[in-house]
């Protein structure tokens, strides 16, 4: 059992290292292509969104309250750029909709 765990940890470490180290060896010069630069600029935001979106929508008791709370959160974040206000508003909206539904 512990032999398999060691192998899994070594493979995970190697994959993580390869993902982080290979771009340094492959791309020696700065990237000049505007499309590639803009694509790489938005990759972290897209990755975070893809991981967080299902959790936001599916953590409430009903799908409607999750989607509504997320929509309100997007609007509040868009207009205020205040993280505390956005999180508080989303929680209140989700709570109210859960109590109603």
């Amino acid at each position: 059992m512990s032999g398999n765990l060691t192998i899994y940890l070594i493979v995970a470490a190697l994959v993580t290292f390869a993902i982080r180290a290979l771009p340094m060896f492959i791309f020696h010069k700065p990237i000049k292509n505007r499309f590639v630069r803009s694509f790489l600029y938005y990759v972290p935001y897209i990755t975070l969104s893809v991981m967080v979106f299902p959790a936001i929508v599916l953590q409430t008791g009903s799908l409607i309250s999750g989607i509504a709370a997320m929509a309100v959160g997007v609007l509040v974040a868009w207009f205020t750029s205040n993280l505390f206000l956005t999180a508080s508003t989303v929680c209140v909206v989700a709570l109210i909709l859960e109590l109603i539904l």
Side-chain angles (χ1 to χ4, degrees):
M1 183 68 166
S2 66
N4 286 341
L5 181 61
T6 305
I7 292 171
Y8 294 150
L9 287 174
I10 290 171
V11 169
L14 289 174
V15 168
T16 303
F17 176 76
I19 289 171
R20 295 172 187 262
L22 281 179
M24 290 188 298
F25 297 118
I26 294 172
F27 303 112
H28 295 290
K29 298 177 185 175
I31 299 171
K32 301 213 189 271
N33 187 326
R34 286 179 51 195
F35 176 75
V36 174
R37 286 176 58 106
S38 66
F39 174 78
L40 292 175
Y41 177 80
Y42 289 109
V43 166
Y45 302 110
I46 293 169
T47 306
L48 182 62
S49 299
V50 167
M51 291 188 305
V52 170
F53 177 76
I56 291 172
V57 174
L58 300 176
Q59 287 302 314
T60 59
S62 70
L63 189 62
I64 296 169
S65 63
I67 292 173
M70 185 193 63
V72 169
V74 167
L75 289 174
V76 172
W78 183 271
F79 289 113
T80 66
S81 298
N82 185 337
L83 182 59
F84 181 74
L85 180 63
T86 303
S88 301
T89 306
V90 168
C91 291
V92 169
V93 167
L95 177 66
I96 290 171
L97 288 176
E98 285 294 317
L99 291 174
I100 292 172
L101 301 174

